[in-house]
Amino acid sequence: MDAAMLGAIGTIVAGLAAAGAALIGHRGANRANHSGAVLGGYSTLVDNLQEERDKARERLVETERLLAAAYAELASERADKAALQARIAELTAENQRLRDRIVELGGQPT
C-alpha cells in the first residue's frame, strides 16, 4: 500500500468516526431535548394542579360560607316556628277560656 491509499483509508476511517460521533451527539441532543420537554411538561402539569387545588379551596371556602348561612337561616326559621307554635297555644288557651266564660255567663259558644 502506498501513501495515497493509506491517506484515503485514513480519510474514510476518520469520516466514519466523525459520522459516528455526530450520530451519538445527535442522540444525546435528542435525549437532552426530550428530558427538557419532559421536565417542562411536568412543570406545567404541577402548575395546573396547583391552580386547580387553589380553585377547589376557594370553592370549598365559598361552600362552607353558604352552608353556615343556610344553618343560620334554618335556626332562625326554627325559632320563628317555635314562637308561632307558642302563640298558637296561647290563642287556643285564650279561645277555650273565653268559651268557658261564655258558658259561665249563661250563653252558648258558637
Side-chain angles (χ1 to χ4, degrees), residues 3-94:
M5 186 166 229
L6 286 176
I9 290 174
T11 304
I12 290 172
V13 170
L16 288 174
L23 182 62
I24 291 171
H26 184 65
R27 285 185 181 169
N30 282 344
R31 191 174 305 122
N33 286 340
H34 181 68
S35 290
V38 168
L39 289 176
Y42 175 77
S43 177
T44 302
L45 179 62
V46 168
D47 290 343
N48 289 343
L49 288 174
Q50 288 174 342
E51 286 176 18
E52 283 194 40
R53 181 198 62 206
D54 293 342
K55 288 178 187 176
R57 278 187 184 149
E58 290 171 6
R59 285 193 308 262
L60 178 62
V61 167
E62 178 63 14
T63 301
E64 287 176 346
R65 185 190 65 77
L66 292 173
L67 184 60
Y71 274 124
E73 183 179 349
L74 178 62
S76 173
E77 288 179 5
R78 284 182 177 167
D80 291 346
K81 179 182 176 186
L84 288 173
Q85 287 175 332
R87 183 68 177 141
I88 288 170
E90 288 173 14
L91 292 173
T92 301
E94 170 100 8

